[in-house]
């Protein structure tokens, strides 16, 4: 398997050309803000209109990428996710449709630019990666997510926007997991 840089660069360039709001999330985002770790996919939140999604799907080269067009359209309608597989590199892109929640709107609006796998790309903020990881930990029981949160807390320390974090952690009922992740920082 080759580096994810070419796959990520292709994706972000196409999304930019089509003016589709997007940001890197998941393990690539937590690695950018905290402690690097291996992963097998690149997670990207996208917020297209149906017209933009249709244009995006039409621009995907079927010789290089596999994407199920019907699954992608259904994902937009259900606000879920769909996959694209880069058959030249083996990397899988998980395109997550932006959640229709107040936090989903807030996190996409707060995105920043960072370097991910050597590529300049829109990136979820450290605070929003923490919140997303806590949500995943709650829904999946994954200790890996809490370890990612602890890594971000250690790396970012006092630069984290604590009032923002505490607001969403409280509203989303993530207090217990947040305390566990902080306790893991030593």
């Amino acid at each position: 398997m080759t580096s994810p840089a070419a796959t990520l660069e292709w994706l972000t360039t196409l999304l930019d050309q089509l003016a589709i709001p997007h940001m890197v999330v998941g393990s690539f985002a937590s690695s950018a803000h905290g402690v690097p770790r291996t992963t097998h996919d690149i997670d990207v939140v996208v917020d297209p209109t149906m017209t933009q999604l249709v244009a995006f799907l039409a621009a995907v080269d079927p010789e290089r990428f596999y994407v199920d067009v019907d699954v992608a359209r259904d994902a937009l309608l259900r606000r879920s996710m769909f996959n694209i597989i880069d058959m030249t590199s083996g990397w899988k892109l998980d395109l997550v449709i932006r959640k229709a929640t107040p936090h989903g709107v807030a996190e996409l609006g707060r995105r920043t630019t960072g370097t991910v796998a050597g590529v300049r790309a829109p990136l979820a903020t450290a605070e929003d990666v923490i919140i997303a990881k806590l949500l995943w930990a709650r829904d999946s029981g994954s200790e890996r997510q809490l370890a990612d949160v602890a890594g971000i807390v250690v790396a970012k320390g006092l630069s984290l926007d604590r009032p923002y974090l505490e607001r969403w952690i409280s509203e989303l009922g993530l207090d217990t997991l947040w305390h566990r992740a902080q306790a893991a920082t030593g």
Side-chain angles (χ1 to χ4, degrees):
M1 191 175 295
T2 60
S3 164
T7 302
L8 181 59
E9 189 161 28
W10 165 82
L11 177 65
T12 58
T13 299
L14 181 56
L15 292 170
D16 285 341
Q17 288 171 350
L18 296 172
I20 297 173
H22 62 283
M23 66 182 173
V24 177
V25 296
S27 298
F28 272 86
S30 66
S31 292
H33 290 299
V35 177
R37 75 170 172 94
T38 58
T39 184
H40 301 289
D41 56 9
I42 304 168
D43 301 317
V44 179
V45 167
V46 295
D47 192 19
T49 63
M50 184 58 80
T51 301
Q52 288 172 316
L53 180 64
V54 168
F56 173 81
L57 295 169
V60 174
D61 177 2
E63 297 296 315
R64 178 176 172 191
F65 299 99
Y66 170 79
V67 62
D68 186 314
V69 171
D70 293 329
V71 169
R73 289 181 181 175
D74 185 61
L76 180 58
L77 296 174
R78 294 178 186 270
R79 303 213 69 83
S80 59
M81 66 175 278
F82 66 97
N83 302 319
I84 297 177
I85 299 171
D86 183 342
M87 296 180 291
T88 63
S89 69
W91 280 94
K92 181 176 73 137
L93 298 163
D94 290 333
L95 277 71
V96 181
I97 305 299
R98 182 197 46 82
K99 294 175 189 165
T101 63
H103 180 254
V105 172
E107 73 176 328
L108 188 60
R110 293 179 78 241
R111 71 189 178 274
T112 186
T113 301
T115 301
V116 180
V119 176
R120 296 288 293 165
L123 178 66
T125 66
E127 296 84 7
D128 290 311
V129 174
I130 287 171
I131 294 163
K133 292 282 183 176
L134 292 172
L135 287 166
W136 273 104
R138 180 190 69 194
D139 296 343
S140 69
S142 170
E143 291 296 318
R144 168 63 81 179
Q145 306 305 321
L146 295 180
D148 288 345
V149 169
I152 295 169
V153 170
V154 167
K156 294 296 182 181
L158 296 175
S159 70
L160 288 169
D161 182 344
R162 297 288 178 154
Y164 178 86
L165 269 172
E166 290 171 13
R167 172 191 168 207
W168 286 110
I169 286 168
S170 176
E171 283 189 31
L172 297 169
L174 302 169
D175 301 280
T176 301
L177 290 169
W178 173 233
H179 295 301
R180 280 182 50 205
Q182 289 183 95
T185 65

